[in-house]
Amino acid sequence: MRSPRKSIGRCAVSTLTLLLMSACGSGTDDANQPPAPTPTPTAAPSLHAIVYGASDTSVPRGTDVPITMMGQMRALFDLIRKSPDFTQVVMDLGDGTPVHVLDTNTGDKFLPGKLALGLSYILIDMKAKGDPKYADYLATYQKITTAMMAQPSGGNYTYANTSWGEYYYLVALNNFKAHGMLNEVFSDTMLATLQNRLTFCDMFGADSSGKTNTCPAAGVPIDVASLNTAQNYYAVSYGIAGLRQKLGWSNPTFSSATDPAVATMNARDALLYTLTNHIRNDSSGGFSDEASNTHTTYYDQARFDRYSTLLIGEVVERTLEMGNEANLTPELKGYLRKSVDLILPQLNADGEGFNYGRSIGPYGDSAFMEVLTAAANAGVLTPQEMQIAYTFIYKAARRYETFWYDPTLPTPSVNMWVKGRGTDTYRGKPRVMGENFSLLHQYMYVDAWWSKLGFGGKAPMADSDYQAWLDARPRYTLTWYNQPTDTAHPYSAALLTVRDGNRVINLNLSQAPDYNSFTPYYPVPFSDKLIYGTTDLGYALLIPQVSYNGKTYIPVTYYKNLNVTESNGQVIVSFDTAKFRQAAKNAAFSTDLDLQAHTVLTFGRGTLTRTDTLSSATLTGNVTVETDFTSFADYLSTTANGDGFSVNYANNANSNATGYGTTGFDSCALSNFDTTAGGATNPLSTTPIGQLHSNFACMTQPFTINAGSTRTFGWSLKYSS
């Protein structure tokens, strides 16, 4: 196997590279230009067999998936091509509300770029094979790209194609250039339009209250601090700047009121410099704080989630993609290694990724994949870790094909929206076509990199060897986002990962000011088929939710004194919560409740327990407390026990819970969680991985808690591994 460090430089490959590749090319003016794709053997399972397939992109023998990813991309191309009016293409997910996915009112502002990129894979493949239908598909591609970049007069036109859409489009352009097809696919006039449109200017300057989507006059620099969106979008603008530079296009320049060094750099390097500062300054643990740009004091910052880990992977991948390896510093590689060290303890035999925070589902799986791939290319994995990473990615690709992709839908598609699943508003169903394209692209570019690293067409590790590596992982791993000795960041922010046999359990402590009222950010254990949050919504999921003076409060921030120990096979976690937050998105901090909780969580073998001891020095009046456990187990197979405070679950394919009970409450009630009283699907029940079916809610009568008094609540959950 080629040394991972030798993959950087002459043999680096653009993420645009189509799928299977042989050794590094030579005798070319473009060091990143790949050879043409070659067929993969049809007998051995491999990442390439799932992504690309046989020479005709069909599913090879021995590969147990319904369709290859290239097959999915071709089906989407055909769906558009065969429509009499491509702007009226419908994707039907079988829930009674088909989506006109290319209508200008879809709200998917990234779609033009995703289309340009996704469909480019098909054109390049057809061209390389001399496919007689190539001219027909090329004409369709040109029709679509021309129409979607046309700018009608007046109004907000969805197809303006912002940020990520601009980046995706530039990936496609560099992809075509690498294969000598750029001027065949795009006219000079269209390229001039794209050069003018595909910039990062929409991410800088005025915000939504005074939106500015145009670049300043020539020679007028942009203030690098004027980013009008989340700070992770510095990475998107960095990718845009680097890919423009790779095409030979000029970039707007930057200035900075606080750092003159920015004005001396080209746009690409100024953005990388700013990104590095973001990671360096906003977290002493080396992770990206995704709330740091909108809040001014630490106590209301610190949202650490999937993107806090993924951002550095994207930065490194973009750096390699644009040929900017010279600026891949030891500092950046060190941050990347921190993300690797957070991910490795969570690896599993099913290809599952993040199970907490926002924008997970299939993106939770692919985030692991993208970070591990960047790490492989940057040379920060050991040879054994390379084998482990490739094996996990193979399993994640297979999970995408057999779990996330649903060929039984009226329009086969990735499914994040129906059959009991739910995702963020950000990734709402109107974005269904774009989500297919972007997810497929992630697997395609990852397959290209691993092929370049010498894994093209290779089988993953034997299951027994991979499982042996998993079994050797520590019982628990504690990853600090901010070091406990960092006086500038006084509250605990960390991820605890506990392994119980094959089960991975995560406890994420994150302040998450803009999301802490939503269950995926609660300080509770999350694990597949056992405990899962519901996106963009909140309820009393395994926390003591307090009602006081007609308002609801929850212990979801201000964590202090985090301590983790292991004794007799049990992992014991304790922490304090200094105040309770009002259970509302972006609630004012002036509404915080002077109520404290001392929490102890115990991770046993097949058991989870939690106790919360509540106290307050100033609270007056009565409070009530509620805690819910919502299970994937069927309501009809769940049995309430005679004690009134516990339930038994029939172990089935939906859930691994076997029993749950509480202490400290006055009453409990078991109920169906699927539907509301009116018969509609209960929105609280639709998690990224499927529907919650039953709820066991326990509550108190009103009681007084004040100086000198405490009250303790607890629950215990039993499960099968």
Side-chain angles (χ1 to χ4, degrees):
M1 182 183 72
R2 181 178 294 156
S3 167
R5 294 187 182 274
K6 292 182 181 178
S7 67
I8 299 177
R10 176 69 179 170
C11 291
V13 61
S14 165
T15 61
L16 322 167
T17 303
L18 187 61
L19 311 172
L20 182 62
M21 293 170 286
S22 58
C24 184
S26 59
T28 174
D29 293 333
D30 187 347
N32 287 337
Q33 183 176 348
T38 55
T40 188
T42 58
S46 68
L47 175 63
H48 189 71
I50 293 174
V51 173
Y52 186 83
S55 59
D56 61 354
T57 72
S58 63
V59 178
R61 295 191 304 272
T63 304
D64 184 21
V65 296
I67 187 173
T68 64
M69 294 183 183
M70 277 292 283
Q72 292 175 50
M73 198 74 86
R74 179 67 173 261
L76 290 169
F77 205 149
D78 287 340
L79 180 68
I80 300 170
R81 189 175 63 88
K82 294 175 181 178
S83 175
D85 179 356
F86 81 88
T87 67
Q88 298 303 308
V89 170
V90 170
M91 292 190 73
D92 184 357
L93 301 185
D95 63 346
T97 56
V99 179
H100 288 77
V101 290
L102 296 177
D103 187 277
T104 57
N105 296 314
T106 60
D108 190 346
K109 59 188 177 181
F110 311 144
L111 187 56
K114 291 183 178 183
L115 274 167
L117 175 57
L119 301 183
S120 73
Y121 284 100
I122 301 301
L123 285 185
I124 291 169
D125 189 53
M126 296 177 78
K127 176 77 171 181
K129 295 173 179 175
D131 192 311
K133 295 182 180 179
Y134 168 73
D136 184 28
Y137 280 75
L138 173 60
T140 300
Y141 186 91
Q142 291 171 329
K143 176 182 177 182
I144 294 169
T145 53
T146 299
M148 296 186 80
M149 291 307 295
Q151 192 83 330
S153 59
N156 292 320
Y157 192 54
T158 300
Y159 295 159
N161 195 49
T162 63
S163 59
W164 277 106
E166 295 164 298
Y167 164 74
Y168 287 128
Y169 219 123
L170 284 161
V171 175
L173 296 180
N174 277 277
N175 195 358
F176 283 127
K177 181 184 177 184
H179 289 83
M181 297 171 61
L182 184 60
N183 296 107
E184 177 181 334
V185 176
F186 296 101
S187 67
D188 291 343
T189 300
M190 184 62 170
L191 286 173
T193 297
L194 293 172
Q195 183 173 355
N196 181 57
R197 297 266 179 84
L198 303 179
T199 71
F200 44 72
C201 296
D202 56 289
M203 288 175 277
F204 292 86
D207 60 17
S208 58
S209 63
K211 193 172 184 180
T212 298
N213 287 327
T214 58
C215 291
V220 178
I222 301 172
D223 185 351
V224 74
S226 67
L227 187 72
N228 58 38
T229 182
Q231 286 205 28
N232 59 52
Y233 276 76
Y234 275 120
V236 184
S237 55
Y238 170 57
I240 291 170
L243 291 175
R244 283 180 63 90
Q245 188 168 322
K246 190 174 180 181
L247 286 170
W249 294 355
S250 63
N251 281 307
T253 58
F254 281 103
S255 67
S256 173
T258 58
D259 192 343
V262 170
T264 67
M265 303 176 185
N266 64 42
R268 180 195 69 182
D269 295 344
L271 287 162
L272 181 59
Y273 173 83
T274 305
L275 264 169
T276 304
N277 284 338
H278 166 49
I279 301 173
R280 180 193 298 141
N281 297 336
D282 290 334
S283 166
S284 61
F287 296 90
S288 170
D289 174 2
E290 291 311 296
S292 62
N293 66 316
T294 56
H295 302 269
T296 57
T297 57
Y298 181 76
Y299 70 86
D300 60 336
Q301 291 181 16
R303 186 178 87 224
F304 296 104
D305 52 19
R306 174 189 70 97
Y307 217 84
S308 302
T309 304
L310 173 60
L311 180 62
I312 184 60
E314 291 186 345
V315 171
V316 171
E317 194 281 323
R318 300 295 110 86
T319 300
L320 299 172
E321 176 183 62
M322 66 181 66
N324 191 26
E325 296 90 340
N327 285 327
L328 189 56
T329 63
E331 179 183 10
L332 290 172
K333 290 184 181 182
Y335 295 146
L336 181 61
R337 182 66 215 193
K338 285 178 178 288
S339 286
V340 169
D341 290 340
L342 180 144
I343 286 172
L344 290 180
Q346 299 182 61
L347 296 190
N348 53 80
D350 298 317
E352 298 163 2
F354 286 101
N355 54 21
Y356 59 90
R358 64 185 293 270
S359 289
I360 52 174
Y363 287 95
D365 302 347
S366 65
F368 279 19
M369 172 185 76
E370 290 190 279
V371 170
L372 293 173
T373 300
N377 278 297
V380 301
L381 298 183
T382 67
Q384 183 188 41
E385 288 171 343
M386 293 276 286
Q387 297 287 338
I388 294 295
Y390 175 74
T391 301
F392 173 83
I393 292 168
Y394 163 81
K395 292 179 181 297
R398 190 177 183 282
R399 174 172 163 84
Y400 181 85
E401 291 289 84
T402 59
F403 181 79
W404 295 115
Y405 175 76
D406 189 344
T408 69
L409 296 174
T411 305
S413 169
V414 65
N415 176 19
M416 296 187 279
W417 307 275
V418 298
K419 297 184 179 180
R421 299 181 188 175
T423 190
D424 313 71
T425 303
Y426 174 74
R427 300 192 189 279
K429 198 175 72 165
R431 286 179 54 169
V432 55
M433 179 171 278
E435 300 306 327
N436 277 273
F437 280 126
S438 56
L439 284 162
L440 291 171
H441 162 65
Q442 288 180 352
Y443 283 94
M444 288 175 175
Y445 94 72
V446 162
D447 176 53
W449 279 121
W450 284 96
S451 294
K452 195 65 178 181
L453 290 167
F455 287 78
K458 287 191 176 181
M461 295 174 67
D463 285 347
S464 57
D465 294 337
Y466 181 65
Q467 188 62 51
W469 185 89
L470 294 178
D471 291 341
R473 295 310 89 210
R475 176 79 163 106
Y476 80 89
T477 303
L478 180 63
T479 303
W480 289 95
Y481 299 125
N482 289 315
Q483 298 302 320
T485 56
D486 182 359
T487 57
H489 299 114
Y491 294 104
S492 298
L495 173 71
L496 175 72
T497 298
V498 179
R499 301 189 69 94
D500 185 9
N502 292 326
R503 179 168 296 282
V504 176
I505 308 170
N506 283 316
L507 173 68
N508 192 51
L509 298 183
S510 172
Q511 313 304 318
D514 40 1
Y515 286 93
N516 57 26
S517 63
F518 299 156
T519 54
Y521 288 89
Y522 284 5
V524 300
F526 290 113
S527 189
D528 186 56
K529 292 185 178 181
L530 188 64
I531 306 170
Y532 236 81
T534 303
T535 60
D536 292 349
L537 293 169
Y539 62 98
L541 176 63
L542 293 175
I543 60 171
Q545 177 177 285
V546 170
S547 295
Y548 176 72
N549 282 348
K551 295 181 180 179
T552 303
Y553 298 88
I554 48 181
V556 292
T557 188
Y558 302 122
Y559 310 120
K560 303 196 77 169
N561 306 320
L562 174 63
N563 184 60
V564 183
T565 60
E566 183 177 359
S567 178
N568 297 322
Q570 292 187 326
V571 178
I572 304 168
V573 183
S574 64
F575 58 90
D576 297 316
T577 303
K579 297 179 182 179
F580 275 43
R581 293 278 287 138
Q582 189 173 343
K585 182 175 173 63
N586 293 324
F589 290 91
S590 60
T591 66
D592 290 341
L593 192 64
D594 182 27
L595 182 64
Q596 291 75 48
H598 177 69
T599 302
V600 178
L601 276 157
T602 302
F603 298 78
R605 297 294 184 180
T607 63
L608 291 169
T609 64
R610 173 171 174 149
T611 62
D612 292 280
T613 301
L614 274 54
S615 62
S616 176
T618 64
L619 212 60
T620 59
N622 289 334
V623 302
T624 59
V625 177
E626 177 180 351
T627 292
D628 295 1
F629 175 56
T630 51
S631 175
F632 293 104
D634 293 334
Y635 169 63
L636 295 178
S637 62
T638 301
T639 304
N641 295 324
D643 60 10
F645 297 99
S646 63
V647 292
N648 291 326
Y649 300 98
N651 192 28
N652 55 42
N654 294 327
S655 173
N656 294 119
T658 59
Y660 172 79
T662 66
T663 58
F665 295 92
D666 296 319
S667 63
C668 298
L670 176 65
S671 62
N672 171 52
F673 204 60
D674 293 20
T675 57
T676 64
T681 298
N682 179 3
L684 293 172
S685 72
T686 55
T687 78
I689 61 170
Q691 191 164 41
L692 298 163
H693 295 290
S694 61
N695 181 32
F696 193 63
C698 296
M699 55 209 70
T700 69
Q701 296 295 324
F703 67 95
T704 301
I705 186 167
N706 49 34
S709 68
T710 62
R711 184 157 172 175
T712 298
F713 305 91
W715 55 257
S716 179
L717 174 64
K718 296 180 180 180
Y719 59 86
S720 61
S721 296

